[in-house]
């Protein structure tokens, strides 16, 4: 599928996509965190919800993914990147 990550946290992310996958599907993802973290995260994600394109909807289509089996160090790396990006 093709999509853009629009929101990320230590527990999951929202991917904007006109072709969201179905809840319950599991995918391996690779997330490169830029400087100053400089770490690529690899983990499984489960689709927990999706939203299909609707012409008059104020919300963009996409899906919510929950990270599965990430270590505390990976969750901390994501938190650090979010903190660095928002400062």
């Amino acid at each position: 599928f093709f999509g853009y990550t629009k929101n990320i946290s230590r527990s999951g992310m929202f991917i904007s996509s006109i072709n969201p996958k179905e809840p319950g599907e599991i995918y391996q993802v690779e997330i490169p965190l830029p400087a100053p973290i400089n770490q690529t995260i690899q983990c499984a994600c489960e689709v927990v919800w999706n939203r299909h394109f609707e012409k008059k909807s104020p919300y963009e289509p996409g899906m919510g993914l929950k990270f599965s089996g990430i270590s505390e160090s990976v969750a901390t790396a994501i938190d650090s990147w979010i903190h660095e990006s928002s400062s």
Side-chain angles (χ1 to χ4, degrees):
F1 70 92
F2 181 78
Y4 293 98
T5 301
K6 295 290 208 140
N7 187 331
I8 188 169
S9 72
R10 72 177 9 244
S11 60
M13 64 184 165
F14 169 69
I15 295 182
S16 174
S17 174
I18 59 171
N19 297 311
K21 300 299 182 183
E22 294 302 314
E25 293 186 48
I26 298 174
Y27 297 93
Q28 285 294 120
V29 296
E30 187 173 285
I31 306 164
L33 299 179
I37 306 302
N38 292 324
Q39 181 178 348
T40 298
I41 295 168
Q42 297 177 345
C43 67
C45 287
E46 179 181 357
V47 179
V48 292
W49 60 268
N50 67 12
R51 186 170 45 226
H52 293 280
F53 174 78
E54 292 183 28
K55 194 171 188 173
K56 295 186 180 191
S57 175
Y59 305 107
E60 62 188 308
M63 59 191 157
L65 302 178
K66 180 176 106 176
F67 296 138
S68 179
I70 65 169
S71 67
E72 183 60 30
S73 64
V74 170
T76 300
I78 293 170
D79 280 344
S80 296
W81 178 68
I82 292 168
H83 177 74
E84 291 293 326
S85 298
S86 63
S87 334

